[in-house]
Amino acid sequence: MTETLVTGSPEAKQERTAAKARILEQVRDYHAHGDQHGGGSGAFVPGETEVWPSGAVFDAEDRAALVEAALEMRIASGVSSRRFERDFARYFKLRKAHLANSGSSANLLALSAFTSHLLEDRRLRPGDEVITVAAGFPTTVNPIIQNGLVPVFVDVDIPTYNTTPERVAAAIGPRTKAIMIAHALGNPFAVEEIAALAEEHDLFLIEDNCDAVGSTYRGKLTGTFGDIATTSFYPAHHLAMGEGGCVLTSNLSLARIVESLRDWGRDCWCEPGENNRCFKRFDYQMGTLPHGYDHKYIFSHVGYNLKATDLQAALGLSQLRRLDAFGDARRANWRRLREGLDGVPGLILPEATPDSDPSWFGFALTVRPEARFTRKELVDFLEARRIGTRRFFAGNLTRHPAYQDRPHRVVGSLVNSDLVAEHTFWVGVYPGLDEQRVDWIAESVRDFAAKKS
C-alpha cells in the first residue's frame, strides 16, 4: 500500500465510507433484534412486565446516529451541536439556542445570565428576590440560591399543579426582580398573564420548560413567552440525549451572556475550530490586560464549562425529527388514562390549564385526605403490580433540609404544596407505553379503589 493510500487517497476514503456504511447497517440490524423501547415494548404480561413511569424511546436511526458520531470521534462540542442548536431554535421560532450538558445546567445558565454586569442597572444582585413555586423540582430553585438571590415561594392549584397570576402578583415586593417557574408535568401555567405581569413590573421571566417541550398555551409554544427558557434532554423528557439541556432566547444580548457563562466565561464568540471571526483577535483592550491580548483567552464572566458533546447532539438531532410524534403519543396516553380513571372514588384527577394543550410529562394522582385509603397504600399496590410510580418531585421544597436554613420568603399559604407532599404521585404516559400498559395502570387503580370502597 502506498503512503498516499494510507494518508487519505480517494480509494482509502471510499473504503472508509463503505466500512462505516457496513457498520451502521449492522447497528440497525442489532436494533431490530433487541428491546427497542425498554419497558414499553415486547410481550406484556400483567403484573410481571415492568411498566416504567418514564423513559427514552429509540429507533434504529437514533442508535445509528450515536454510533456514527462515535466512529467519527466527534467527542467534543462541534458540528452536530451547532446544527442541533439551529434546528431546535427554529422549532421554537426563537433566535438562539445554546446546548448544555443538562437541564439543571441550563437553568443555572439562564438565571445566572441576569446577574451579568453587561445588564448594568437591571442586573440581579445578591439579596434580590425571584418568585418561584414551592411544589416543584430543586433545579428550578437552586440557581436562585447559588447566585445569592432569595427565592419567594408561592403555592399551586390542584388539579393543574401550577401557580396562578394572582399568587405571583401578591408576591411582588420592592426587591423582586425576576420570576422563574416550571410548567408542571408538561401542563402550562398561565404564562401569557404572568409574562404580562413581568412586563408591567419590569421583571425578568425565566420559563423552565424542561417538562413541557411541545406544550402550547393559547396556541403558542411554551418556552416562547419569557425572556429566556430552558429544556432538558434527560431520558425521562420529551427528547433524550442521555444527559443534556438547552437555553433558548431571542434576546441576542442574553444569548451572548449565556454562551460566555457556558464556555468558561470567555469573551470570545468563535465557534470551536475558528480563530478570528471578528477579524480583531489581537486588537482588543479589556480589563487591565495589555493591548492585543489574545481574545480567545480574555474572560468577561466568572463562568463554567457546561457544554454538551457531539455524541449527545447527534442523538438529539435524530430524536428531534420525532418530537411532534412523541407529543401526540403522550397526549393520547394521558387522555386514555384520564378516561379510564374517570369516576374512581378517593382520587383527584389532573386537569389541563384552561386554554392549554399540554405535551404531558406524567399523570398526577392525588389521594383525597378523606379517602378510605392512603397514597402509600395505593403506591404500594401499584408497585407490587410492577407499575412504576414517582412522587411529585420535592412536594414542598420549604420542608426539605437543604432549604430550611436558606434565606427565603413565603407569600400566602402553602396548603396545596403540603397536600402534594403528603398525597400526590404520578405515573407514566411517555411514548414507550402502549395501550395495554396504559389500560393496565387504569385497571389496577380501579381494582384497588374498588377493594377499599
Side-chain angles (χ1 to χ4, degrees):
M1 183 177 291
T2 66
E3 180 66 20
T4 302
L5 183 58
V6 172
T7 58
S9 68
E11 293 84 357
K13 291 180 180 178
Q14 289 175 2
E15 178 54 35
R16 183 184 179 91
T17 300
K20 182 171 75 172
R22 290 193 298 270
I23 292 170
L24 295 181
E25 191 57 37
Q26 289 176 328
V27 168
R28 295 182 180 97
D29 182 64
Y30 173 85
H31 179 88
H33 290 88
D35 179 3
Q36 298 174 20
H37 300 313
S41 64
F44 175 63
V45 180
E48 295 183 18
T49 306
E50 187 172 8
V51 180
W52 293 356
S54 63
V57 177
F58 298 127
D59 65 10
E61 295 310 309
D62 293 329
R63 202 180 293 261
L66 185 59
V67 171
E68 182 176 16
L71 289 173
E72 299 294 337
M73 295 301 290
R74 299 205 305 269
I75 58 175
S77 177
V79 61
S80 291
S81 300
R82 302 292 85 77
R83 182 181 166 197
F84 180 88
E85 289 173 338
R86 289 193 299 270
D87 290 355
F88 202 54
R90 188 176 299 118
Y91 175 84
F92 286 94
K93 297 181 180 177
L94 296 173
R95 298 182 70 180
K96 286 291 184 177
H98 285 96
L99 194 57
N101 60 0
S102 73
S104 303
S105 294
N107 278 350
L108 176 61
L109 289 168
L111 194 281
S112 299
F114 295 102
T115 69
S116 171
H117 62 280
L118 297 179
L119 299 182
E120 299 179 341
D121 291 343
R122 290 203 71 200
R123 68 184 292 193
L124 273 59
R125 300 178 184 275
D128 286 342
E129 294 181 342
V130 181
I131 298 170
T132 189
V133 299
F137 199 74
T139 55
T140 309
V141 175
N142 289 352
I144 302 171
I145 296 170
Q146 288 160 341
N147 278 283
L149 307 168
V150 178
V152 178
F153 292 105
V154 295
D155 207 3
V156 298
D157 271 352
I158 297 174
T160 67
Y161 301 93
N162 281 304
T163 194
T164 61
E166 293 76 18
R167 288 188 177 95
V168 172
I172 297 172
R175 294 218 65 175
T176 305
K177 297 295 179 64
I179 303 166
M180 186 170 184
I181 304 175
H183 299 285
L185 288 181
N187 193 17
F189 59 85
V191 62
E192 185 176 280
E193 292 86 343
I194 290 177
L197 269 177
E199 183 175 5
E200 177 186 351
H201 293 275
D202 197 25
L203 309 177
F204 296 117
L205 175 60
I206 303 106
E207 281 184 79
D208 182 336
N209 202 43
C210 290
D211 291 350
V213 175
S215 296
T216 63
Y217 185 72
R218 295 184 176 167
K220 185 178 176 182
L221 284 169
T222 57
T224 64
F225 290 84
D227 296 284
I228 207 164
T230 61
T231 63
S232 173
F233 307 125
Y234 188 72
H237 290 92
H238 292 65
L239 298 178
M241 292 187 184
E243 299 285 355
C246 203
V247 184
L248 297 120
T249 184
S250 282
N251 185 313
L252 296 183
S253 297
L254 286 177
R256 178 71 193 93
I257 295 166
V258 167
E259 183 178 47
S260 176
L261 288 167
R262 183 196 63 179
D263 298 0
W264 305 285
R266 70 177 188 161
D267 197 75
C268 178
W269 55 87
C270 285
E271 300 284 3
E274 290 184 336
N275 287 317
N276 196 15
R277 184 192 290 191
C278 61
F279 300 108
K280 50 185 294 186
R281 175 182 168 188
F282 300 107
D283 195 30
Y284 281 93
Q285 168 61 60
M286 301 183 72
T288 59
L289 293 167
H291 180 270
Y293 199 87
D294 189 345
H295 191 225
K296 291 177 73 70
Y297 293 97
I298 296 176
F299 298 90
S300 53
H301 291 91
V302 179
Y304 311 90
N305 178 7
L306 300 178
K307 297 189 301 299
T309 70
D310 257 24
L311 293 171
Q312 295 165 276
L315 178 56
L317 275 168
S318 182
Q319 288 260 294
L320 184 56
R321 65 194 164 84
R322 291 185 291 153
L323 178 55
D324 290 338
F326 286 156
D328 291 343
R330 288 176 177 274
R331 291 177 174 93
N333 285 343
W334 190 93
R335 286 194 300 267
R336 190 176 186 91
L337 190 53
R338 185 65 170 72
E339 292 167 2
L341 293 176
D342 191 42
V344 174
L347 295 178
I348 300 174
L349 300 183
E351 294 181 8
T353 300
D355 299 323
S356 76
D357 182 16
S359 181
W360 294 97
F361 181 78
F363 191 99
L365 288 165
T366 295
V367 176
R368 295 182 182 276
E370 69 275 13
R372 294 189 175 185
F373 54 89
T374 66
R375 177 203 53 77
K376 184 179 186 306
E377 288 172 332
L378 177 52
V379 166
D380 288 348
F381 180 83
L382 295 176
E383 293 283 350
R385 287 195 170 192
R386 308 275 291 168
I387 296 169
T389 66
R390 295 291 185 269
R391 297 301 293 264
F392 192 95
F393 308 127
N396 181 346
L397 279 163
T398 67
R399 296 173 62 177
H400 287 254
Y403 305 96
Q404 290 181 351
D405 294 331
R406 301 284 186 172
H408 68 275
R409 189 161 63 90
V410 174
V411 176
S413 167
L414 297 181
V415 61
N416 287 337
S417 298
D418 285 332
L419 186 66
V420 167
E422 300 286 349
H423 299 285
T424 302
F425 68 99
W426 59 272
V427 294
V429 294
Y430 79 105
L433 299 181
D434 56 17
E435 291 183 353
Q436 275 187 304
R437 288 162 173 79
V438 174
D439 289 346
W440 174 240
I441 297 172
E443 179 185 335
S444 297
V445 173
R446 297 186 75 92
D447 286 351
F448 174 84
K451 291 174 183 177
K452 294 291 184 177
S453 64

